Amino acid sequence: ADTLAAAAQQSGRYFGTAVAANKLGDGTYVNILNREFDMVTAENEMKMDALEPNQNQFSYGTADRIVNQAIGQGKRVRGHALAWHMQQPGWMQNMGGTQLRNAMLNHITQVATYYRGKIYAWDVVNEAFADGNSGGRRDSNLQRTGNDWIEAAFRAARSADPNAKLCYNDYNTDNWSHAKTQGVYNMVRDFKSRGVPIDCVGFQAHFNSGNPVPSNYHTTLQNFADLGVDVQITELDIEGSGSSQAQQFQGVTQACLAVARCTGITVWGIRDSDSWRASGTPLLFDGSGNKKQAYNSVLSAL
Ligand code: XIL
């Protein structure tokens, strides 16, 4: 196979990228997108602030450009994200209690219903766990509505779109020995044991020198998969360049391929110049759209 998507399909997996709506007029960008990827995540356009700028007034136009472009090209879509403490619309940021809980549930119900049948997997809840050694939840307005807010979110999403896979998504959950990883693992185990509808766990996988690809990555992915969920690498980027970067990309790809329930990998942008990171070269294509060494190492590992 000579594209990422075709290579991933050889083992029944997908290879995706984050897409920004304002780049869909960029010929180089769209050319690589259409050629290399078979899964798309909207980089910002399906977040709460984008879809519900005023309470109960939904705005789907920009997100739909991404979704329709993807589906028109035969690609699938990961929905990102139904509930998150960041990129909330202003009206939601200062809400609390029952009012906020109901607003969150209404958002999930409306958005998941609108997109019913078009989404492969939803990141239902994003980044709800704390960094550091507590292994517990992050403080946020959503968390303060009650510890059961995450399961309430998953139940609302299941009711609205019964056929979409429902994922919990987070960062710094790659190293099996980290407290945050254990915290998420314990939540997923609890959800599975109590029948809370969860189908998958997303690992953002934003790596840099301070947060390198852990040597136990395969263990982490396998342990989660053994709970009875799919796992996916959802926002991959790795700071660096040359062979060191290529090796790390290859290691992540191999870790996924070694886990039967690791169903796909998504990189968080196409060219280095498309990256959300202010500086650096963390992606698979250079600023001109040329394939990097990291690209070749991923392709050969798939
Ligand atoms: C980032 C986008 O890439 C940026 O354009 C935006 O300014 C901030 O959000 N974790 C996530 C993604 O789940 O939604 C974030 O995306 C990156 C970190």
Side-chain angles (χ1 to χ4, degrees):
D2 60 359
T3 68
L4 298 167
Q9 285 164 19
Q10 294 174 134
S11 67
R13 293 180 171 83
Y14 67 81
F15 208 98
T17 181
V19 166
N22 63 11
K23 290 176 183 155
L24 289 175
D26 175 334
T28 307
Y29 181 89
V30 173
N31 196 29
I32 301 172
L33 168 61
N34 289 347
R35 186 185 73 216
E36 297 285 344
F37 300 99
D38 59 354
M39 184 73 74
V40 160
T41 306
E43 187 172 359
N44 289 296
E45 294 80 352
M46 294 173 84
K47 293 173 181 175
M48 298 179 105
D49 58 350
L51 294 185
E52 195 179 355
N54 301 299
Q55 188 167 15
N56 229 4
Q57 289 180 5
F58 291 82
S59 170
Y60 293 109
T62 310
D64 281 348
R65 284 171 51 211
I66 294 179
V67 172
N68 293 336
Q69 198 277 345
I71 291 175
Q73 291 286 322
K75 305 178 197 308
R76 290 181 292 172
V77 177
R78 276 190 68 91
H80 176 77
L82 291 171
W84 190 20
H85 68 284
M86 293 192 42
Q87 292 181 266
Q88 291 181 358
W91 61 264
M92 184 182 280
Q93 287 175 28
N94 296 317
M95 263 188 186
T98 306
Q99 204 190 17
L100 174 61
R101 175 69 71 102
N102 289 336
M104 172 195 76
L105 295 174
N106 180 58
H107 180 87
I108 292 171
T109 300
Q110 297 296 325
V111 171
T113 299
Y114 178 83
Y115 283 112
R116 176 161 51 211
K118 292 187 170 177
I119 304 295
Y120 161 71
W122 271 110
D123 291 331
V124 178
V125 170
N126 197 30
E127 302 185 348
F129 276 74
D131 295 311
N133 297 321
S134 76
R137 300 284 181 83
R138 164 198 303 284
D139 179 52
S140 73
N141 61 345
L142 294 170
Q143 180 62 29
R144 288 192 292 271
T145 71
N147 204 51
D148 63 341
W149 75 275
I150 298 182
E151 58 194 90
F154 275 84
R155 292 187 200 281
R158 181 67 100 223
S159 303
D161 188 356
N163 294 320
K165 292 190 182 297
L166 304 182
C167 303
Y168 176 79
N169 192 55
D170 213 329
Y171 66 93
N172 284 358
T173 48
D174 312 286
N175 192 320
W176 180 243
S177 64
H178 283 178
K180 188 172 177 181
T181 310
Q182 295 297 314
V184 175
Y185 178 84
N186 289 332
M187 177 188 74
V188 175
R189 188 173 53 187
D190 171 55
F191 280 11
K192 293 301 287 186
S193 76
R194 290 190 295 113
V196 178
I198 185 170
D199 306 301
C200 38
V201 176
F203 296 81
Q204 292 186 10
H206 296 294
F207 295 113
N208 53 51
S209 53
N211 176 45
V213 180
S215 56
N216 60 21
Y217 205 17
H218 165 251
T219 302
T220 303
L221 298 178
Q222 188 64 59
N223 285 345
F224 274 89
D226 288 346
L227 291 175
V229 289
D230 289 343
V231 295
Q232 288 125 17
I233 292 167
T234 54
E235 304 183 12
L236 178 62
D237 52 21
I238 308 179
E239 285 283 8
S241 61
S243 61
S244 136
Q245 180 185 46
Q247 257 174 30
Q248 294 177 74
F249 266 105
Q250 188 157 55
V252 172
T253 306
Q254 286 166 341
C256 177
L257 273 272
V259 175
R261 294 197 74 158
C262 184
T263 60
I265 299 175
T266 294
V267 288
W268 204 239
I270 297 178
R271 300 160 300 195
D272 286 336
S273 49
D274 300 316
S275 173
W276 69 305
R277 294 178 180 278
S279 64
T281 53
L283 294 172
L284 300 179
F285 295 86
D286 71 17
S288 308
N290 301 306
K291 296 170 181 173
K292 294 166 58 182
Q293 208 174 326
Y295 172 95
N296 293 316
S297 72
V298 169
L299 186 69
S300 64
L302 284 169

